[in-house]
Amino acid sequence: MTVRIRTGSTTPWAVRAWHVLAGFCARDWALHFRSPLSVVGTLAGPLLLLVAVGIGLGGSVAPGQQENILALIVPGLCAMSALLVASQRSVAVFHDRSSGLIDEIVTGPVSRPVVVVAQALSSATLATVHGLVMLVLAVALGAGSLPGSPVAFTAAIAAFALLSSSLCNAMAYGASKPGTIQSLLNLVINPLFFLSGALYDVTTTVVPVRVLALINPLHYAVRLIQAAYAETPPDGALPTAEALAVVVAVVVACWAMAVRFSRRG
Amino acid sequence: MSRPGEPLVEATEIHAAYGKTPVLHGIDMRVAAGEIMAVVGLNGAGKSTLMRCVAGLKRPTAGRVVVGGVDVHGGGQANIALVLQGVAIERQLTGVQYLRFVARTRGVSRAEARSLATAVIDELDLRSFAERRGSEISGGQARRLQLAGSLVRRPDVLLLDEPTTGLDAVARRHYWTVLRDLADRGLAVVAVTHHVDEASLADSVLVISDGHAVSSGRPEQLVGEAALSVVEVVCGSREQVGAVADALPAVDAERKDKVITLTTADPGTALATVQGLGLPGVSLSVRPAALDDLLIRLAKERQS
């Protein structure tokens, strides 16, 4: 049996791009969920932090304070879980690039931008699922409540997942050695997360931390998650539209950088 | 499907550079449908860069690459599949899943990807291990799956960069049998290799050294035109090795333990030179040069 598929433009561009995205998602989901350590590793860290900070501090704070702490850190831990998946997937993206797989793919009728976007979206879907699983675990442990609007919360987690995946993947495309991507994740992504206000209220911190938050793209996505979780934006929060605009702009910039890096021979 | 003999790859006067460092100097390449071309040369000769230029991944600083009538660097989409040695089958994926993934990255639907994967599994006779995971198959089987992955793209031209690296002799021979079968079906196959023995299995050979094409043609034609012989001198001591090596042209002679091998067009002079040294216990033999002897000599000549 011989099945011949034409390489010309008989299939619309958007449909081909959709198939490429679906292909990456199917592969990445299979690889991720067939590696139990990957799944456990991205949930264990946030869960331990939840136990240590949220529940562990329960006896040390004034009555009523524990709920406030949990309301603040539960959405942050959902973001953390999503970020860990994005970091983990970026290492796989590095291998896709350095092994030559991307070069093999773009020799066919699919362009580099399509591949870069498909990889980011594929990582983002996995990261979103992990963020939501973290929420369910927190609620099941009695450490948090369900958000008032699950749809808005899911969308906010997805925005954070897409931003973190795009950032991490851009670094994966820019890195020349496996050690470099690990270092970039440790030296850039982790500080960005811990300075984003995901685990504390940025508005009550010292001025330098607030300034750093303003130039930190993750801060804006974290604000979206916190606003969706609390139903009402925290004091001093950016309007949702502006935060969303920042997220979209940084995501597009990351994709452009990744495409540029990917062209290096 | 292309007709046998129809030119599919036409690279003309290809120059390429990395930054300000030139790596290719005016290389020409012609490959027809049904033909296998081996591109050989020492490390750093520019073989992989040439492959990237033909695949459209690297833009030449000068020259033109036309594949199947399409100017590869002029915005056209040629029907090429590229196989690189570094790409591995993921350990957690089965062969079938890998092939479906590769098909989908070509922009086809799930149903089409399934059909394509099934078709190439049948065509390359991979059924016995296609359902196994990457961690459960041999290196040779993984390479055949990777080759099958390139075929789900239904290419007219197959570009392979050192496809048999890491395989044993039997697996390499089998791999080339598969390539021959694909060429017989009308594909143009270009294989970069530094296993020079594999070049004799190709229809044509392009020898690259230091970014220059130093020779090209059919393997037997290259050997015949060169009319070279290999003189082997087995010495009895290290002192004798030194004396013989000093007497022979340094470029052409190779030393290994107490054996000196010389590829030359004038074996008589070489024999007379060694015999003239009057060394006791030194044995001499002469045989016609094989393709790998010729290729190594050509590559070294250019480097020197």
Side-chain angles (χ1 to χ4, degrees), chain B residues 75-99:
Chain B
Q77 177 60 60
N79 197 10
I80 301 172
L82 177 68
V83 177
L84 297 170
Q85 60 165 318
V87 178
I89 314 298
E90 280 91 354
R91 294 172 60 80
Q92 298 99 322
L93 290 189
T94 67
V96 173
Q97 287 172 324
Y98 167 76
L99 293 175

Side-chain angles (χ1 to χ4, degrees), chain A residues 3 7 19 34-35 103-104, chain B residues 84 92 97 104 106 154:
Chain A
V3 181
T7 51
H19 290 317
R34 284 179 189 175
S35 305
D103 284 341
E104 284 190 0
Chain B
L84 297 170
Q92 298 99 322
Q97 287 172 324
R104 295 215 77 183
R106 202 176 160 281
R154 293 300 177 201

Side-chain angles (χ1 to χ4, degrees), chain B residues 184-256:
Chain B
D184 289 345
R185 294 185 210 174
L187 266 74
V189 180
V190 182
V192 163
T193 179
H194 52 210
H195 291 294
V196 286
D197 56 313
E198 290 179 350
S200 61
L201 304 171
D203 298 309
S204 60
V205 182
L206 173 64
V207 188
I208 299 181
S209 181
D210 198 21
H212 297 263
V214 291
S215 186
S216 65
R218 300 183 69 81
E220 63 276 12
Q221 176 195 351
L222 293 183
V223 174
E225 285 175 359
L228 294 173
S229 299
V230 177
V231 177
E232 196 173 82
V233 186
V234 181
C235 302
S237 66
R238 295 200 177 281
E239 290 71 28
Q240 287 182 345
V241 171
V244 172
D246 287 344
L248 294 173
V251 174
D252 299 336
E254 252 188 70
R255 291 165 62 160
K256 191 175 181 185

Side-chain angles (χ1 to χ4, degrees), chain A residues 143-162:
Chain A
S145 56
L146 287 172
S149 169
V151 173
F153 185 79
T154 303
I157 286 284
F160 179 89
L162 182 59

